[in-house]
Amino acid sequence: MNTSILLKFYLSNNSPEFQIGSILEDYMNYTNKDLYPDEIIEGYNHQCSISSVFVNHPAYLKSEKLLDCKLRKNSDKIIPMFYDHFLRMNWDKFSDTPFEVFYTTLLSNFSEYQNYLPYKYKRLNDVIFRKNWYSELQTIGGTHKIMMQQTKRFTFNATLEHSINSLIEHYSEHRSNFFEILPDLKKASHDFVLLKRDTVFI
């Protein structure tokens, strides 16, 4: 879920370390793991585990098939943005924490742990918060705006930006797929935490 700016944080069990670890999904590797505390490494492992469930889930695969063929190679970057939109729109259905409280806590966590963020991530998160992307996600137009800005970060030209057409044309299908996949992602997150907890006590 490399381009997710909300879903991965929602699934991070309200853990600041898991939130930081989740955005290092495409950055952390065996050569730089020593730079991070164990809790952030666990957050990274947690995110990798969820991402594996995500890209193999029937609902994700159904959303992938709705994309134009030329877009599907980047579906793991495109579909998370669609699902971020649906999560933000339906936040009250999936969280007991008001979004404003969640947002304020997330902002505080990034401020506290910013020394663990690579430079490009510090810049990205500054943009996310400064331009209030989390409010933009509530509309299709706002989501498209974010996609246009995200396009500049990647090397696949305007693929992400143009994928908004799939969201518009197949809105109800993508929404249905999101509602299908989210409970399983939450379960995968919960199971990861339980497994780690049980392992500690063995």
Side-chain angles (χ1 to χ4, degrees):
M1 291 190 285
N2 290 331
T3 57
S4 170
I5 60 174
L6 181 58
L7 183 58
K8 61 174 55 181
F9 299 139
Y10 169 79
L11 294 168
S12 292
N13 294 289
N14 296 316
S15 164
E17 295 83 6
F18 274 30
Q19 290 170 351
I20 298 301
S22 72
I23 64 172
L24 299 176
E25 181 182 7
D26 61 345
Y27 177 80
M28 189 183 294
N29 55 59
Y30 70 93
T31 64
N32 61 15
K33 277 192 173 182
D34 291 343
L35 300 175
Y36 301 97
D38 291 343
E39 293 82 359
I40 290 180
I41 293 175
E42 282 304 298
Y44 162 81
N45 292 334
H46 172 262
Q47 179 58 44
C48 290
S49 175
I50 291 176
S51 291
S52 178
V53 173
F54 183 78
V55 298
N56 291 290
H57 196 282
Y60 168 87
L61 297 176
K62 286 188 287 187
S63 279
E64 184 178 49
K65 288 181 179 179
L66 295 172
L67 298 175
D68 289 341
C69 292
K70 63 183 179 181
L71 301 178
R72 290 177 188 171
K73 66 178 181 180
N74 293 307
S75 59
D76 63 327
K77 299 176 177 65
I78 294 169
I79 294 173
M81 291 294 293
F82 293 176
Y83 290 177
D84 274 354
H85 163 67
F86 294 120
L87 176 58
R88 182 63 185 93
M89 277 195 66
N90 298 279
W91 182 265
D92 293 342
K93 291 184 176 70
F94 298 114
S95 177
D96 294 329
T97 303
F99 188 81
E100 293 72 17
V101 175
F102 172 85
Y103 174 85
T104 300
T105 302
L106 186 63
L107 181 60
S108 175
N109 292 341
F110 274 105
S111 176
E112 181 179 354
Y113 287 87
Q114 63 178 318
N115 290 338
Y116 291 109
L117 296 177
Y119 177 69
K120 70 174 183 177
Y121 290 101
K122 290 180 182 179
R123 289 185 59 194
L124 172 62
N125 285 300
D126 178 61
V127 170
I128 288 174
F129 290 114
R130 179 163 45 82
K131 295 192 175 182
N132 202 14
W133 279 7
Y134 293 109
S135 290
E136 297 279 8
L137 280 171
Q138 295 183 86
T139 67
I140 294 176
T143 303
H144 187 208
K145 180 179 177 181
I146 294 172
M147 286 181 165
M148 289 190 291
Q149 295 169 345
Q150 282 279 61
T151 294
K152 300 175 183 178
R153 296 185 57 234
F154 299 100
T155 58
F156 49 91
N157 300 319
T159 299
L160 185 63
E161 176 185 349
H162 292 162
S163 66
I164 195 68
N165 293 328
S166 176
L167 179 61
I168 295 171
E169 293 171 10
H170 305 288
Y171 193 85
S172 61
E173 295 97 322
H174 285 302
R175 183 181 185 276
S176 177
N177 293 337
F178 166 73
F179 273 77
E180 178 182 339
I181 198 174
L182 188 61
D184 290 339
L185 295 179
K186 292 173 67 174
K187 182 178 185 303
S189 173
H190 180 70
D191 289 349
F192 178 94
V193 173
L194 283 182
L195 177 63
K196 290 298 178 182
R197 185 180 300 164
D198 291 343
T199 302
V200 169
F201 288 103
I202 290 178

